[in-house]
Amino acid sequence: MSLTVHFINKNWERVQVVLNVKAMFGSHTGDYIGETFVNLLDEWDIAHDRVHMVLRDSGANMIKGLRVAEVPGLSCSAHTLQLVINDGLTAQRAVSDMIAKFKRIATHFNHSVVAQQRLAVIQTEMGVPHHSIVQSVPTRWNSTLHMIARMLEQKRAITAYSSDYGHFVSPTPNEWDLAGKLVETLMPLEEITLEMSKSDSSVSCIIPSVGVLKTLLQSEGPNTVGIQTVRKTMLESLDKRFSKINEAKEVVLACLLDPRYKHRPLSQDALFRAKSWLDEETQNDERAVETEEAPAEEADPKRLRVESHSVLDNLFDTMLASTSQEDQPLKTSRRNFRADNYYHYYYYYYHHHHHYYYYYYKVYYYFYYNYYYF
């Protein structure tokens, strides 16, 4: 088990540091995982209240382990998305049979130097790119996508090899057709998976990404004929596995406070809960500051008084104000964006309402320094 900490330093730079790696022996039960995790925190004198969120996979033992450790956890969205895609790829018999045939072909070429040499000769004769056949890996669903895409590229060479040397049955015209349609469906899914897997990705992108995927899988056209079962199963799995995402406090707040998305991807229920959460955190921070500050007859000239009753309303008025510019649809192409809004919020609360500073620091660290639109 490894322990990696993420934070923003005094220069507003996002930093991640691996603090500890510990070998685990025996059965990885939830109790064992929880105990090990607590020991990792104790070695660095990290109090539980300083752990804002722990990213984990969706395994039952990991979920129980963090519950035993009494720290908040969030499932890895990229891992969950892989489960969604695997559900779809195994739902339709024709598609699963086609993938199994492609795997056998890839295994033949990856286990035989002679086969690779013969394929290279055929590639030269036919003017096909000299690329090796990609083998899929069970733990990386996009390796299946890369395998199928490479098979399509080498279609003529593979067909000629099967005709000349045998060893495997060449895919049928219908299987080649299914492969092409499947690649077109999976390519956008891979792009979102890669965005979620980046070292500078953030939880603010989860809700918008799920919304984009639902729209994609619900669409129909000539390239969806023959793989409707795959797409329908993926959509159902997506709804099921991300059904609670709009109830996750950190995910909803991160999306709301991200200037790229704000309130647009959120449902009305999620938006209502977000305001309640912010109100609750604001009141908690006020009480904490009142407890820490020593009573004094004169106010500190460097610190202005806070009118707490209007701060939250003003914040929401700023974030959720509907203007013609803000109501433009989400971008579908990736590009850099300005982060001025981040500095505005931090500057305002640090200099004018100092005791709100810590809470917004916790929320913003999720998505600060994300540089791409979806």
Side-chain angles (χ1 to χ4, degrees):
M1 176 182 292
S2 63
L3 177 64
T4 303
V5 61
H6 300 257
F7 60 93
I8 293 177
N9 62 21
K10 62 182 180 181
N11 297 320
W12 300 109
E13 297 171 338
R14 184 169 173 176
V15 181
Q16 61 181 32
V17 179
V18 178
L19 296 182
N20 208 335
V21 178
K22 180 169 292 187
M24 299 182 66
F25 304 95
S27 179
H28 293 183
T29 64
D31 292 333
Y32 182 26
I33 291 174
E35 180 183 355
T36 303
F37 185 79
V38 170
N39 291 336
L40 293 178
L41 295 179
D42 291 342
E43 289 183 16
W44 285 88
D45 294 328
I46 300 176
H48 284 205
D49 58 0
R50 296 182 63 191
V51 180
H52 188 61
M53 178 61 63
V54 178
L55 188 65
R56 51 163 173 76
D57 61 37
S58 302
N61 58 342
M62 289 298 301
I63 296 175
K64 180 180 178 180
L66 293 189
R67 187 166 61 247
V68 170
E70 298 181 344
V71 292
L74 179 69
S75 295
C76 174
S77 297
H79 178 258
T80 304
L81 184 57
Q82 171 159 330
L83 298 178
V84 169
I85 296 170
N86 287 340
D87 289 341
L89 295 179
T90 57
Q92 189 169 333
R93 180 65 180 273
V95 172
S96 58
D97 289 346
M98 177 267 294
I99 294 176
K101 182 177 288 187
F102 281 5
K103 287 181 178 179
R104 288 192 292 269
I105 295 174
T107 299
H108 170 73
F109 286 110
N110 281 277
H111 286 76
S112 174
V113 176
V114 174
Q116 295 173 13
Q117 294 172 347
R118 290 173 176 174
L119 180 63
V121 173
I122 295 175
Q123 289 171 336
T124 301
E125 293 175 351
M126 294 188 166
V128 177
H130 282 253
H131 295 158
S132 59
I133 304 300
V134 177
Q135 179 74 64
S136 66
V137 180
T139 55
R140 292 177 57 248
W141 78 262
N142 56 348
S143 65
T144 300
L145 168 62
H146 298 160
M147 178 188 69
I148 298 174
R150 182 57 54 83
M151 293 287 182
L152 290 170
E153 178 196 79
Q154 299 292 324
K155 176 180 176 180
R156 293 170 55 215
I158 290 173
T159 302
Y161 182 97
S162 176
S163 177
D164 294 343
Y165 302 104
H167 298 292
F168 56 80
V169 178
S170 181
T172 65
N174 182 58
E175 289 174 330
W176 285 117
D177 183 59
L178 283 177
K181 294 176 179 178
L182 189 61
V183 167
E184 293 192 22
T185 293
L186 295 179
M187 286 295 290
L189 300 182
E190 183 192 32
E191 183 176 356
I192 291 181
T193 300
L194 295 177
E195 289 289 344
M196 288 183 171
S197 304
K198 286 183 176 180
S199 60
D200 60 352
S201 62
S202 70
V203 296
S204 65
C205 72
I206 297 177
I207 293 178
S209 297
V210 172
V212 169
L213 290 179
K214 287 182 179 180
T215 301
L216 172 69
L217 295 174
Q218 288 171 348
S219 63
E220 296 182 358
N223 293 327
T224 65
V225 177
I227 57 172
Q228 292 93 337
T229 302
V230 171
R231 296 169 66 90
K232 180 181 178 181
T233 303
M234 286 183 183
L235 181 59
E236 293 174 350
S237 181
L238 189 69
D239 287 333
K240 177 182 177 181
R241 296 184 183 277
F242 287 95
S243 61
K244 302 295 184 181
I245 199 64
N246 282 292
E247 300 175 11
K249 177 180 177 180
E250 287 76 11
V251 177
V252 172
L253 291 181
C255 178
L256 177 64
L257 298 177
D258 192 323
R260 297 172 298 174
Y261 311 123
K262 296 187 178 180
H263 65 288
R264 289 186 288 267
L266 300 176
S267 65
Q268 290 299 320
D269 290 340
L271 205 56
F272 177 80
R273 285 192 293 268
K275 186 170 182 178
S276 299
W277 287 327
L278 285 177
D279 194 8
E280 177 185 350
E281 289 293 337
T282 300
Q283 294 175 7
N284 291 339
D285 288 344
E286 286 178 344
R287 288 192 292 267
V289 171
E290 290 174 358
T291 302
E292 293 175 0
E293 290 180 347
E297 295 182 358
E298 297 183 0
D300 186 347
K302 297 181 180 180
R303 182 177 300 171
L304 299 179
R305 293 185 179 274
V306 178
E307 296 181 2
S308 59
H309 66 277
S310 63
V311 171
L312 189 62
D313 291 337
N314 291 338
L315 177 63
F316 265 83
D317 289 340
T318 301
M319 290 181 178
L320 305 181
S322 298
T323 63
S324 58
Q325 181 177 1
E326 290 180 339
D327 288 338
Q328 294 296 323
L330 293 177
K331 301 293 183 180
T332 56
S333 60
R334 294 178 294 175
R335 67 176 186 176
N336 291 339
F337 77 92
R338 294 178 61 84
D340 295 342
N341 286 341
Y342 292 104
Y343 289 102
H344 172 73
Y345 292 128
Y346 279 114
Y347 177 87
Y348 180 82
Y349 282 97
Y350 181 83
H351 289 279
H352 296 282
H353 304 294
H354 181 73
H355 63 268
Y356 287 104
Y357 172 79
Y358 177 62
Y359 173 67
Y360 289 102
Y361 171 84
K362 292 194 299 184
V363 174
Y364 270 79
Y365 96 95
Y366 276 107
F367 48 81
Y368 195 82
Y369 280 94
N370 273 356
Y371 296 102
Y372 297 100
Y373 283 102
F374 281 101

